Each structure stands twice: as C-alpha cells, then as structure tokens.
Amino acid sequence: MNAPPTPGRGPRRFSWPQRVFSQVLLMQLAIITGVTILVTGLFLAPLSDQLDDQAMRRALAIAQSTAADPDIVEHLSSTDPSDRGPVQSAAERVRRATGAEYVVVMNQRGVRWSHPETHRIGAIVSTDPGKALHGREVMEIDSGTLGRSARGKVPLYGPSGEVIGAVSVGIAYDSVRARLLAAIPGLLAYAGGALAVGALAAYLISRRLQRQTHDLAFSDISALLTEREAMLHGIREGVVALDGAGRVRLLNDEAQRLLGLGPEAAGRPLEEVLGDGRTTDVLAGRVVGDDLLAVRGSRVLLANRMPTDDGGAVVTLRDRTELEHLGRELDSTTGLIDALRAQDHEHANRLHTLLGLLELEMHEDAMEFVTEVVGVHRATAEQLTEKVQDPLLAALLVGKTTVAAERGVALRLAPGTLLPDRVVDPRGLVTVVGNLVDNATDAAAGSDGARIEVGLRTEGRTVVLEVRDSGPGVPEEQHASIFTEGWSTKDVPAHGKRGLGLALVRRLAERQGGSVTVSGADGGGAVFTVVLPEALTEPGPGAVDKPGPGPEAVTGPAAGSPNGTPHSAHPATTGEQR
C-alpha cells in the first residue's frame, strides 16, 4: 500500500520574493552576472583572434629573416637536399633559436631542402606552396605533416631577382592555445573581482532601498498609493505637499478649490502659484504656529504645517469662511440682544413716564412726550436714508447706531456724506463698513466724548469711505501689519480667532481694484480710508442723485428725552428693515 501523503509537505517550488529589497537585489545580481559573463566572452573572442594573428606574424617574420640569408640562397642553388647539408643546418639553427615548430626551405618545385624530421627532406611539401613560389607572402592557420600550426611563407629570390624557392615557417598551434588558456584564469579573476564589487554595491543599494521603503512589498506600495489617492481626494480638508526646494509636490481637490489653483500648479514654486502674501508665508513655514489664519480671495483658511524628513512639508487647510461668518453673526446677535435688553429698560422708563403723566391728568404733556419720542426716531432714520440711499447700507448704519449708542458711543455721518442707490456690490460694501464700524466702536468705547464718524462720498464711479473714531489710535509702526490676517489687539472670542476683519476689508478692497489705509486723526483716534474704484454703476438717463438736507446727520445719544434717558434709533430701525 502506498503511504498517505504527509500534510504540509510536497515538492518545493521556487517562489519569487515579495519584498522590494529582495527583488531589487536579485535583479541587480542577475544583471551584474550577465554583464560580467557577456563582457568576459566579448573579451575572449577577439583575444583568440589576436593570438592567432600574432603567431602568424611571428612565423612570417622568421621566414622573412631566413629568406634574407644569402648563404641559404647560394646553398639551395649549389647543393642537393640532404639531412646534413648546409641548408638543413642553417634552417635548424634558426628553428632552435626562434622556437618555431619547423623551418622548411624548398626549391621552385616544392622539394624540401630542410625539415625537423630529416626523412622528409627531398620530398615535396604537404601543403600548396604556389602563392609563395609566385612571389607572394602568405599567413595562415593550416594543418600539415606536423599537425595544425600558424604559418608564414615567403618567396626565396636568387641573385638575379628571380624566385628560386620559398621558406615556410610554422608555429605550433598548441602554444597559441596554451597562451589563450593561460590568460583565462587571470581574466576570470578580474571578472570575479568585478562581480564581487558589483554584488556588494547592489547589496548596499538594496539595503538603502529597504530602509526607504520600510521593507514593504511591491503590492503593499501599490496598495498604499491607491489608498493615498483615495484618501487625499476624498477628505474635505485641503492638503498641499511641498518638496525641499519649496515647489508644490501635491495638491488634492479640496486644496485646489480653497486656493483657487489647478492641477498645473504641481511642480512649480509656491511663490509663483500663490504670489506674495500671508498665505504663501504660512505655507512656506515663514510664519510658525498651530491653526494659523490665512485669507485667500474671499475665503478664510486655517492652516497647519508639518515638516517632512526630506526638507519639505505637508500643509492641511480647513475652510473657516462659514464658521467665521457665523461667529461674526453671533457677535452681532449678542450685541443686538444687549441693545434690545437696554431698549426694554428704556421703553419701560418711557411707559412709566407716560403712565405718570396720564395719572396726573397731564394729557397735553403726555401727547407732547409721545410726539417728541416718535419724531426723534423717525427723523434719525429719514436723515440716514436721505444721505445713504442704498437700503442695505442704510439699514446697517441704523442698526450699528443702536449698538453704538448702547455702548455710549455716538455714531454720526460726516458732513457731505452722500451715497446714491447705484452700488455695484452692496453686500461687499456692507461687509467693509460693518467691519470698520465694529472696530471703531470697540476702540472708541470708554473714551472721552466717545464718537464715530462715517463718511461716504463719491467721485464719479469711485466710492471713498472714511471711518473716524475717538479711540487710542493705531501706532504708526503698525499701520502696515494691522491689515495682516491674525493681527489683533482684542481678546479671543469664544467662537474662535480674531484678526480677520481688517484683512477681509483689505481683500475686498483689493478685489475691486481699490485700497485701504489707516492714519491718525486730529485730536486722537484713527481714520480708516477705503477707496473703491468702479463701485457705482453709471447713472441712468435723467437720473440725479438727491443731496442730503443738511450738512450733517447726527444719530445716537445726541439728544435726551424728558426723563433723561438717551433716545435710541432701534424702533425706527426695526420698522425700516421690515
């Protein structure tokens, strides 16, 4: 009976290694071995031909020297072939002196006068001497009575110049082969040394490759690349990879969207694709820190940079635009709630005053009180809408007036303010004015005679905005850095970062081809000036911008109510926005 096969055993088959290190090492060894064998073969092939050629030339040179001996010419013509003749003696001397296998002297009919085997003297040569007897020198590898040899044949000339015979000299071919075989060990030694050096170099290179690839298999690397591509293009964060020279190595889809770039940015320097600015400084590592803010176009980005071992870096980008807008809306809502709370107290005071007048039966005084309160608010709103004819911007200023008044800051329009209802981008202008007024309110709150002055004037299609406050002002050395993302002197709010308002103002102004600057105000404070070219549309046929009724519109706590509480424009604001 046949024994059952042992589990787990069987014919062992050659398995190609899976690791990158092993595969590369085997391939390099195979290439080095093949090249060494090929070079050795290519060297040996011409070496054999060279040795044959050297042997034939040596035989020819001996034959030429022998044929030039005048004694041999004389004795060939005057003696008979003999094993003790002068020709035989001279030929043997030459043979022994040169190490040739034979030196044969023959007459014109091919009869030998000399030969190493004396019994062959007087016989006709075994190979055709016709070429030499016709005056031609011959070099060849041929076989004769003494076996295979390298031969040289030359004609033998008489005193009058005619051919009287020939000299044939042979070099044993075994000696040529012996020289070839003797050269092979040395050649193989050199080839083996070269193979050993190549194998060592291949091993060192493979070891370095093993460290760099973390001893992974090719299938693992392929899987990692596939997973990397899926991850990079699937996540909702932007990823930018840079090499050691600062060139963009990789941009995923989200990074292209956030930065406004295309796939062609890969391989180009960072400064070339993004230009100068804080975003470039953050990505290049010139600004260090965690969760760094950057503004690209209208987007607010949060960047984190991680250096890599090769001198490059990987930067992740998160879109914070919506969150920043929500945070600002939360701040505005919180301020509005505070203002409403204050308005509630103010309205309670007014109702108490009105109730007291009615209980005292002072009906005329009560009517005057109500008329005055309603008239002040209506006049304030009307003054704003006459001078600022864009409804969005007018509503914003009315609301900001209420918030500023609650914080004890008087907000007014500057003399000569007039903005027609022809704004190209009302929302952009609202963002600019809102950010500047918010900053001015924070700066002016708590100062003596706290006030903000907003000026809007037009020069053709250009809008010039000036926001002046009575705060501490901005030091001159900070006039340039104040518009940089992340720069702020305020406390960080609960919802995240500060230092974006003025950066967004600058970006919005620059996007419209304009500019924003800051300077000091007379008597203290700061003046922010924004110039927006092409901010207005061309007026229609017959359209005339209505000027304001007076030199100045004052809003905020400029006038007091009979009970001493400041008037507020909030009720009128609410009515206008509806």
Side-chain angles (χ1 to χ4, degrees):
M1 293 179 63
N2 295 331
T6 303
R9 292 187 179 181
R12 300 188 63 181
R13 298 180 180 178
F14 174 76
S15 177
W16 185 255
Q18 298 299 317
R19 302 295 180 186
V20 176
F21 160 75
S22 302
Q23 289 192 26
V24 171
L25 179 60
L26 287 178
M27 287 188 291
Q28 287 181 327
L29 290 177
I31 292 173
I32 293 171
T33 303
V35 170
T36 302
I37 294 174
L38 179 62
V39 170
T40 303
L42 292 176
F43 183 78
L44 286 175
L47 178 61
S48 177
D49 293 338
Q50 290 177 2
L51 292 176
D52 289 348
D53 184 71
Q54 290 177 3
M56 290 186 294
R57 291 186 180 278
R58 180 183 170 205
L60 183 63
I62 296 172
Q64 290 172 339
S65 299
T66 304
D69 189 350
D71 293 336
I72 292 180
V73 174
E74 180 182 354
H75 293 149
L76 180 62
S77 302
S78 59
T79 61
D80 294 327
S82 171
D83 58 348
R84 297 182 180 275
V87 175
Q88 170 69 3
S89 300
E92 283 299 300
R93 283 197 308 271
V94 173
R95 184 182 68 82
R96 289 191 295 269
T98 59
E101 185 180 18
Y102 64 84
V103 177
V104 175
V105 179
M106 66 191 78
N107 65 0
Q108 197 171 14
R109 290 178 297 150
V111 177
R112 300 188 184 96
W113 249 252
S114 64
H115 196 278
E117 297 177 353
T118 56
H119 65 276
R120 298 185 184 277
I121 296 175
I124 296 176
V125 296
S126 59
T127 57
D128 183 17
K131 294 180 180 179
L133 294 176
H134 284 83
R136 295 170 57 188
E137 295 182 346
V138 178
M139 291 191 307
E140 61 185 0
I141 303 292
D142 202 356
S143 298
T145 56
L146 298 179
R148 191 170 179 80
S149 61
R151 303 182 176 191
K153 299 178 181 180
V154 297
L156 192 62
Y157 295 98
S160 58
E162 75 280 7
V163 177
I164 61 173
V167 177
S168 176
V169 176
I171 303 296
Y173 197 72
D174 289 342
S175 64
V176 178
R177 184 176 303 167
R179 290 180 61 192
L180 177 62
L181 295 177
I184 290 178
L187 181 62
L188 293 179
Y190 284 115
L195 182 61
V197 172
L200 178 60
Y203 176 77
L204 295 177
I205 293 174
S206 299
R207 287 289 297 176
R208 176 179 174 84
L209 185 62
Q210 182 184 28
R211 290 192 299 269
Q212 291 182 340
T213 59
H214 302 284
D215 201 22
L216 294 174
F218 278 112
S219 58
D220 296 334
I221 295 176
S222 178
L224 285 175
L225 288 175
T226 303
E227 293 169 0
R228 189 199 73 159
E229 290 298 314
M231 178 184 66
L232 287 178
H233 297 289
I235 61 176
R236 301 308 299 167
E237 286 192 1
V239 178
V240 182
L242 306 172
D243 61 14
R247 292 185 296 267
V248 178
R249 181 184 296 168
L250 172 71
L251 280 163
N252 71 342
D253 297 341
E254 184 68 5
Q256 295 177 23
R257 184 183 73 85
L258 295 178
L259 297 175
L261 303 175
E264 67 279 358
R268 297 166 58 190
L270 189 62
E271 288 77 5
E272 181 180 330
V273 297
L274 291 182
D276 296 331
R278 177 177 170 84
T279 303
T280 302
D281 294 339
V282 170
L283 267 63
R286 290 188 285 270
V287 180
V288 296
D290 297 329
D291 293 339
L292 296 172
L293 286 171
V295 176
R296 178 69 176 174
S298 61
R299 298 189 180 277
V300 179
L301 305 178
L302 208 61
N304 284 282
R305 189 177 190 273
M306 178 63 68
T308 56
D309 294 337
D310 61 353
V314 175
V315 184
T316 58
L317 302 171
R318 283 178 285 166
D319 191 354
R320 195 183 171 85
T321 307
E322 296 300 328
L323 181 60
E324 187 63 30
H325 288 170
L326 290 175
R328 288 184 174 277
E329 290 180 5
L330 178 61
D331 287 343
S332 299
T333 303
T334 302
L336 183 58
I337 291 174
D338 293 338
L340 288 174
R341 186 179 297 112
Q343 289 294 321
D344 180 57
H345 292 173
E346 183 179 352
H347 282 294
N349 292 334
R350 290 172 180 172
L351 288 175
H352 291 160
T353 302
L354 180 60
L355 179 61
L357 292 173
L358 293 175
E359 288 180 350
L360 295 174
E361 297 183 355
M362 301 174 63
H363 301 104
E364 293 183 1
D365 291 334
M367 292 178 61
E368 291 178 1
F369 176 75
V370 172
T371 302
E372 180 184 358
V373 170
V374 174
V376 168
H377 291 302
R378 182 174 299 169
T380 299
E382 288 177 354
Q383 288 175 349
L384 275 169
T385 54
E386 286 178 355
K387 288 179 172 293
V388 181
Q389 298 172 10
D390 182 83
L392 284 179
L393 192 57
L396 172 74
L397 290 174
V398 171
K400 294 297 183 183
T401 299
T402 301
V403 176
E406 176 57 25
R407 299 183 62 180
V409 179
L411 190 153
R412 66 178 185 178
L413 294 180
T417 295
L418 177 62
L419 181 70
D421 187 14
R422 294 188 286 107
V423 180
V424 175
D425 183 13
R427 294 184 181 276
L429 187 56
V430 164
T431 300
V432 172
V433 175
N435 280 313
L436 292 180
V437 170
D438 285 344
N439 287 340
T441 302
D442 292 337
S447 63
D448 294 336
R451 65 190 180 280
I452 301 172
E453 185 177 84
V454 179
L456 285 161
R457 68 178 188 274
T458 60
E459 299 174 359
R461 294 182 59 189
T462 300
V463 172
V464 179
L465 166 67
E466 285 189 357
V467 177
R468 186 186 304 265
D469 64 69
S470 60
V474 179
E476 186 175 355
E477 63 272 11
Q478 296 179 352
H479 283 183
S481 59
I482 193 174
F483 298 102
T484 304
E485 299 96 318
W487 189 96
S488 179
T489 59
K490 306 174 187 176
D491 295 333
V492 178
H495 62 80
K497 304 279 186 179
R498 282 201 183 274
L500 291 176
L502 293 178
L504 288 174
V505 169
R506 184 189 66 176
R507 289 300 176 92
L508 288 171
E510 291 177 349
R511 190 170 63 183
Q512 298 184 23
S515 62
V516 55
T517 57
V518 60
S519 59
D522 295 337
V527 179
F528 287 85
T529 304
V530 181
V531 179
L532 301 174
E534 309 296 326
L536 300 179
T537 60
E538 292 289 349
V544 178
D545 297 330
K546 297 179 181 180
E552 175 177 327
V554 180
T555 60
S561 63
N563 60 356
T565 58
H567 294 305
S568 172
H570 180 68
T573 302
T574 306
E576 291 293 337
Q577 289 178 336
R578 289 176 187 164

